[in-house]
Amino acid sequence: MDAAFLKTLEASIALRNKIPMFYLGLPFALYIVVVLSRKVAKKDKDFSTDAVLHKINAYENISLLSAAKGFFLSILTMATGGSAGKEAPCADTGAGVAALMAKILRMNPADRRKMMICGVSAGFAGVFGVPISGALFGLEVLWVGHIFYEVMFPALVAGITAFQVTSYLGVDYIYHPLHFVPVFSEQFFLKMIVAGMFFGLVALLFIEILKFTRVVFRYIALRTRPFWACFIGGVVLLAIGHFISPLYLGLGMAGIDGPLSGQPAASPFEFLYKMLSTSVTFAAGGIGGIVTPIFFVGAQAGAMLADFMNVDSATLAALGLVAVLAGAANTPLAASIMAIELFGPAIAPYATVACVISFLVTGQQSVYPSQRISWDSGKELESTPPKNPAQFGRRATDRQTKIRARKTLLKKAVKEMTRHLIPNAKGFDEKK
């Protein structure tokens, strides 16, 4: 399914590129996507990664109709110029097929959930060509603070198998081995700490812009009609593509490959333009993934920061790509391993530092609202399906608890970091 989606998307984009100013139809294309998603198979609306995470965490099933809608409507969104990613349909389809297999084999809800996790891992691994980190991403993104170790081996098998099959079918992936290997020094390590904090702030800004645009366009749709929300969003995207650059519309792979090849950022605001176009696309009804736009934002932010920090542009773009993902999706382990798979082992120590710090900066904010958060190690983790799904939803969205936990975690992280950087610093050594 990964190969079929990627090949279809590639053919659609190639056909679109032959049309001058293809983005002129965006206001109407977004409305068509909204109508099809809401009117066709009304009950099957699990065509986003966040919806899949909610279904898996709630031990609920995912229909193949939802996966099919995500498959075709994502292509329609990106082919007409909507800024979205390619991982959501593949992960959704993987989860849907896994749920169907579990139903055929008459598995219980707990085993069906494990099968769906493996499906998500296979989808991520196959679409980006990262078998190990793709599998871990499927495990880590579900529940921050808890990794499902009992599903790790089958998820890895699923990820590696998906990668091998899609590679055999001729799918090309991003792979940029870095030629610049920085020599480790205290100065460069401090630069990586600063870079990690910057990428965390970029991820946090992206999350907040996504929330803000969602509220604005929901208000427009409620006060007027859904058509006007889609039309206004399409006009905003059209203006970005016409007056700034079409680079920020669609999949935007050129905006990722350029910085990773060492090209300097044409403008310091490139990652902001992509944030805006992606947020408006989703708020106005577009369907697709969020990880590919995160890659664009991270790579462009890293290339922009390289000029200020006097660091190799390609290296910092690579670090930005994985670090912004770690902060935005709360997946520092998967992002750190992804850096090795995409850019080679030399970047491993620097990517790990940047990813962990970015993750700590964003705290419990995420581009996936349905992601579960659990920082308190004293609490017993839930290992059985919840009896009352409504009660589960209230627990998962307790904002005050999340904010308090985030502040406590960030305070502890700063304290520990200071203790290691300044040994026996006065006021930070609790043992004195």
Side-chain angles (χ1 to χ4, degrees), residues 40-52:
V40 178
K42 297 180 180 180
K43 296 182 180 179
D44 301 295
K45 297 181 180 180
D46 307 319
F47 38 71
S48 69
T49 303
D50 185 66
V52 171

Side-chain angles (χ1 to χ4, degrees), residues 76-232:
L76 179 58
T77 299
M78 287 180 276
T80 54
S83 177
K86 55 187 177 180
E87 80 287 344
C90 298
D92 302 348
T93 303
V97 172
L100 177 63
M101 294 299 298
K103 184 178 180 180
I104 293 174
L105 298 174
R106 297 182 179 180
M107 293 182 174
N108 58 42
D111 290 336
R112 182 183 64 196
R113 184 191 193 209
K114 295 176 183 178
M115 286 281 289
M116 291 164 66
I117 293 173
C118 292
V120 172
S121 296
F124 275 102
V127 76
F128 291 122
V130 285
I132 307 302
S133 58
L136 290 179
F137 188 90
L139 300 175
E140 195 177 13
V141 75
L142 286 172
W143 192 341
V144 181
H146 174 65
I147 296 178
F148 299 91
Y149 292 103
E150 68 274 15
V151 199
M152 184 173 291
F153 178 70
L156 287 171
V157 172
I160 293 171
T161 303
F163 169 71
Q164 293 292 338
V165 172
T166 50
S167 298
Y168 177 78
L169 294 175
V171 174
D172 297 324
Y173 296 111
I174 299 174
Y175 183 66
H176 287 268
L178 298 178
H179 302 290
F180 169 73
V181 181
V183 178
F184 182 84
S185 64
E186 290 80 2
Q187 183 181 7
F188 190 80
F189 182 72
L190 290 175
K191 287 183 178 180
M192 292 303 98
I193 293 176
V194 174
M197 296 175 66
F198 173 75
F199 293 137
L201 293 174
V202 169
L204 193 59
L205 178 62
F206 197 4
I207 295 169
E208 295 303 324
I209 292 177
L210 284 168
K211 292 179 181 178
F212 177 75
T213 52
R214 191 181 300 122
V215 171
V216 170
F217 280 88
R218 186 178 299 168
Y219 177 81
I220 295 173
L222 291 175
R223 296 291 293 180
T224 57
R225 295 176 57 191
F227 170 79
W228 289 112
C230 300
F231 186 83
I232 293 172

Side-chain angles (χ1 to χ4, degrees), residues 47 58 70 154 174 187 217 237 292-293 300 323 377 381 395 397:
F47 38 71
I174 299 174
Q187 183 181 7
F217 280 88
L237 295 174
T292 309
Q300 292 289 346
S377 59
L381 297 177
R395 291 200 306 269
T397 57

Side-chain angles (χ1 to χ4, degrees), residues 24-78:
L24 289 177
L26 259 174
F28 304 99
L30 289 175
Y31 183 65
I32 292 173
V33 169
V34 169
V35 171
L36 292 176
S37 64
R38 295 182 180 180
K39 300 299 182 180
V40 178
K42 297 180 180 180
K43 296 182 180 179
D44 301 295
K45 297 181 180 180
D46 307 319
F47 38 71
S48 69
T49 303
D50 185 66
V52 171
L53 296 183
H54 173 72
K55 288 287 187 179
I56 294 176
N57 282 328
Y59 292 81
E60 297 179 5
N61 202 7
I62 296 176
S63 68
L64 283 179
L65 282 174
S66 293
K69 289 169 71 174
F71 187 101
F72 292 105
L73 295 182
S74 297
I75 293 175
L76 179 58
T77 299
M78 287 180 276

Side-chain angles (χ1 to χ4, degrees), residues 343-359:
F343 310 119
I347 200 175
Y350 314 108
T352 303
V353 171
C355 288
V356 171
I357 293 176
S358 175
F359 163 71

